[in-house]
Amino acid sequence: MKHLLFLLLFGVSSVAIAQNRGMELVPKENRFALLIGVNEYQKPIQSLRFCESDIDLLEKTLREIGVEHIVKMTTSATKSRYLPTKENILRQVERITGLAEAGSQVIIAFSGHGVTMNGKAYLCPMDANVKKSDSFVSRDTIFNLLSECPATQKLCFIDACRDEFMVEGAKSISGMKGLNPAEITDPGFVLISSCAKGEQSWEHPQLKNGVFTYFLVEGLTGAAAQDGEVTMMSLFSYVNRKTKFYVDEHFEVLQRPQIRFNQQEVGDFVLARVDSTIPKPVLPISSDPTAGERMVKTINGVEYAFRWCPAGSFMMGSPEGELGRYNDETQHRVTLTKGFWMLETEVTQEMWVAVMGDNPSWFSSTGIGKDKVSGMNTDNFPVENVSWDDCQEFCQKLRSQGLNVQLPTEAQWEYACRAGTTTGLNNGKDITSETVSCYNLDEVGWYEENSDSTTHVVGQKKPNAWGLYDMHGNVLEWCADWYGKDSYAKSPTSDPTGPASGSLRVSRGGSWSDDAKLCRSAFRRGSTPTFRRYRLGFRPVLVP
C-alpha cells in the first residue's frame, strides 16, 4: 500500500498574467469552489482515511481567504446529489464552470484515489469499478471543462493516491499506477505537485491530514505571507520547504513538492492578503495520536502500516458463561499505561522475504501447500510456518534497519484485538457455534468453516474499531510471553509481561484451521519456541 499523494494545485488565468505580485484579488462574490473527498470505496478498492479531513480543512481555509460559493461532495454527504459518484462529479464540474464568468475564480479540489491507465490519468469516484474503465473520471475531462470556462482564474487541487488499490491475490490492480503529474502546456494553468517523480507523499497521525495539505493550508492562512500577501510563488516556496523537512525528520525519506507552469505566459499573483501585524497562525498538532490512527513506515521499499492503540484499561480473559471458554481465561482487569503502534495486518510473505531472504510458508509457490494457491500471488498472504525464535530474528533484523519492533505482550495483543469490546469477538458479537459455521465470525476472520483449508490475503475481512485486520483467524499470532495456565491469577494489574520463565510461548487469535471457539479474543495457546506450523504467524508492535 503506497502513499503516492500527487496534488495538482493552481491553474490561473486562461490569458497571460503580467508579472505583478500586487494583482488585485477576485471579489469574494465571484469566487467559486467545488471540493470532493472520497474516503469510502467499493471492494476491492481500499478505502481511505483522511480524504474528507483534507477537504474539510480546505473548505474552512477557502472561506477564511474569501471564497463565497462552495459546494462540498463527500462519501458522508446526507444529500444524494453531493455524493461523489462519477455522474455527480461531472454534473457539478459542469455546473460550477458554467456559473463562472470573466473576472471570476474557479477552484476544484479532489482528494481520493487516482490511477493512470494507458497513459491517461483518472480520478476515482466512490462508485469506481476496477473492472469498468469507464467508471473513472478522466482528469482531462475536468481540465477541458476548466479550459473552456471563461473565468479569469482557475485553481485545481487534486490529492491522489493516498493508498494503493488492493485486490485479492495481487499487490495492486493490474495495469493501474498511481496518478501521474500532468504536463502543463496551457498558459492558464499552474501545477504544484506534492512530490517529485518516484517519491511518495506522506500523512502523519499527529497532523490528521496529508503533510503537504497541512502545510498548504498553513501557508494560505498566512504562514507563507510576504509583506502581508500570500502569492503563488511564496506559497510554493513555503510548502516545498516545510513539507520536505518535516517528512525527512519523521520518515527519513524524500518528499519534494514540484511546480509546473508555462513560465513565458504566467506570472506571480496574489492568493490571499493577511494583516501583517497579526502573528502568522500555526495549525494545532495533536500531542498524541487518537485510537486507530494510521502510520506507515517503509523499509527496503516495503511498507509497514501501523495502528495506534492508546493507553487504557480492560478486562482481560473471558467471563464465565462465554461460549467456548477455557479455564485458563480467568477474567481480570489490566491497565496498559502506555499506548503503542501495532501492525495493521499479520506480517506478510512479502515483508518476510524482504527481511529474511526466504519464504518458509506452506501456502506459497514453493511451499508444501502450493497446490492450494496455484496461480496466485501470495505476497500479501500472511507468512506462516515460522517459530517464535524465527519471529525474534525477523524483529531483530528490522531493528537493525531502523524499524524498532518486537512481539507484543499477551496483554497488548488482547487489548488491541478487543479495541474496546467485551464480547467473544471484536465486532461486538459472540460466536454462535463452537465448531460449525458461525456468521458472526465470518465477518471478521478466516477459520475452519470458511477458509477452504488455506490462508488468505490479509485485510479482506472487517477490521476492528482501531483498524486492525485478521485478529481472529487466518493465522495464529505469536506473543512475547511465556505461557502459564494459571498465570492470570498471579498477573500484575499494570503492564503485565507474563511469567518469568516457562517451556511454552503464547500464541493468540486462532487460525484458518481452527474451530470458531479457538478464534475468540480471549483464547490462549502455548507452543514451544522452536515449533513451526502452517497456522502460526505473527504481527509486531513498535517499541517506543
Side-chain angles (χ1 to χ4, degrees), residues 64-97:
E64 288 177 356
I65 66 172
V67 179
E68 184 168 293
H69 309 286
I70 298 179
V71 174
K72 184 167 68 172
M73 306 179 73
T74 65
T75 46
S76 60
T78 57
K79 295 184 178 180
S80 61
R81 66 178 178 272
Y82 297 132
L83 292 173
T85 64
K86 176 182 178 179
E87 181 181 359
N88 284 349
I89 289 172
L90 292 177
R91 182 185 297 117
Q92 293 293 345
V93 172
E94 290 176 355
R95 174 173 169 258
I96 198 169
T97 54

Side-chain angles (χ1 to χ4, degrees), residues 67-196:
V67 179
E68 184 168 293
H69 309 286
I70 298 179
V71 174
K72 184 167 68 172
M73 306 179 73
T74 65
T75 46
S76 60
T78 57
K79 295 184 178 180
S80 61
R81 66 178 178 272
Y82 297 132
L83 292 173
T85 64
K86 176 182 178 179
E87 181 181 359
N88 284 349
I89 289 172
L90 292 177
R91 182 185 297 117
Q92 293 293 345
V93 172
E94 290 176 355
R95 174 173 169 258
I96 198 169
T97 54
L99 289 172
E101 300 176 349
S104 297
Q105 177 190 79
V106 173
I107 301 169
I108 296 178
F110 175 88
S111 183
H113 278 305
V115 297
T116 298
M117 297 181 287
N118 300 320
K120 293 186 177 181
Y122 296 86
L123 309 180
C124 302
M126 65 180 290
D127 57 344
N129 186 325
V130 296
K131 296 180 179 180
K132 297 180 179 180
S133 59
D134 61 356
S135 68
F136 297 87
V137 177
S138 168
R139 189 178 63 185
D140 289 345
T141 297
I142 293 178
F143 280 13
N144 288 339
L145 287 168
L146 281 171
S147 295
E148 295 167 2
C149 172
T152 301
Q153 295 183 11
K154 305 166 189 180
L155 293 73
C156 185
F157 309 165
I158 301 180
D159 183 339
C161 340
R162 190 153 297 162
D163 278 302
E164 193 172 54
F165 291 176
M166 300 300 295
V167 296
E168 185 162 340
K171 184 177 180 181
S172 63
I173 293 177
S174 178
M176 294 188 178
K177 301 178 180 179
L179 191 66
N180 290 328
E183 292 298 325
I184 302 300
T185 57
D186 189 320
F189 282 94
V190 176
L191 167 64
I192 299 177
S193 59
S194 64
C195 59

Side-chain angles (χ1 to χ4, degrees), residues 50 56 64 123 166 195 219 254 287 417 443 454 537:
F50 290 119
D56 289 342
E64 288 177 356
L123 309 180
M166 300 300 295
C195 59
L254 290 176
S287 59
C417 174
E443 291 182 1
T454 183

Side-chain angles (χ1 to χ4, degrees), residues 166-393:
M166 300 300 295
V167 296
E168 185 162 340
K171 184 177 180 181
S172 63
I173 293 177
S174 178
M176 294 188 178
K177 301 178 180 179
L179 191 66
N180 290 328
E183 292 298 325
I184 302 300
T185 57
D186 189 320
F189 282 94
V190 176
L191 167 64
I192 299 177
S193 59
S194 64
C195 59
K197 184 177 181 181
E199 296 175 356
Q200 299 175 359
S201 289
W202 293 80
E203 58 186 20
H204 196 280
Q206 288 187 333
L207 303 181
K208 294 180 170 50
N209 291 99
V211 176
F212 182 88
T213 300
Y214 179 89
F215 290 117
L216 169 69
V217 166
E218 193 173 77
L220 282 171
T221 52
Q226 296 179 359
D227 300 324
E229 294 180 343
V230 179
T231 70
M232 178 184 70
M233 294 308 298
S234 72
L235 178 67
F236 172 72
S237 177
Y238 179 82
V239 173
N240 175 277
R241 182 179 71 256
K242 297 290 285 190
T243 299
K244 68 183 181 183
F245 285 119
Y246 188 95
V247 170
D248 175 71
E249 177 184 354
H250 289 83
F251 302 106
E252 297 183 355
V253 295
L254 290 176
Q255 182 184 335
R256 298 165 294 182
Q258 306 289 300
I259 188 168
R260 292 180 175 84
F261 60 96
N262 188 326
Q263 299 184 37
Q264 296 179 346
E265 301 289 345
V266 179
D268 206 356
F269 61 96
V270 176
L271 296 172
R273 288 199 173 96
V274 297
D275 187 342
S276 59
T277 65
I278 300 175
K280 296 176 181 178
V282 177
L283 299 176
I285 298 178
S286 301
S287 59
D288 206 22
T290 58
E293 292 221 8
R294 193 169 189 264
M295 179 175 64
V296 179
K297 298 283 189 177
T298 302
I299 300 294
N300 292 332
V302 177
E303 293 189 347
Y304 296 78
F306 294 87
R307 295 285 184 171
W308 179 249
C309 304
S313 298
F314 76 113
M315 293 301 293
M316 189 171 180
S318 60
E320 293 184 10
E322 181 173 289
L323 186 63
R325 183 179 191 267
Y326 287 85
N327 60 12
D328 64 348
E329 299 171 13
T330 303
Q331 198 169 45
H332 60 294
R333 180 163 291 280
V334 167
T335 297
L336 298 179
T337 61
K338 296 179 181 179
F340 55 94
W341 294 96
M342 174 172 270
L343 197 65
E344 185 176 76
T345 68
E346 297 138 332
V347 170
T348 64
Q349 294 179 28
E350 179 187 39
M351 294 174 186
W352 182 273
V353 171
V355 174
M356 305 294 284
D358 64 352
N359 190 347
S361 303
W362 281 52
F363 300 110
S364 66
S365 60
T366 58
I368 295 174
K370 60 185 177 183
D371 290 345
K372 294 293 296 185
V373 294
S374 177
M376 298 182 188
N377 180 347
T378 62
D379 281 354
N380 286 319
F381 280 55
V383 69
E384 23 80 14
N385 197 35
V386 291
S387 69
W388 188 90
D389 290 338
D390 295 334
C391 299
Q392 293 289 68
E393 183 181 358

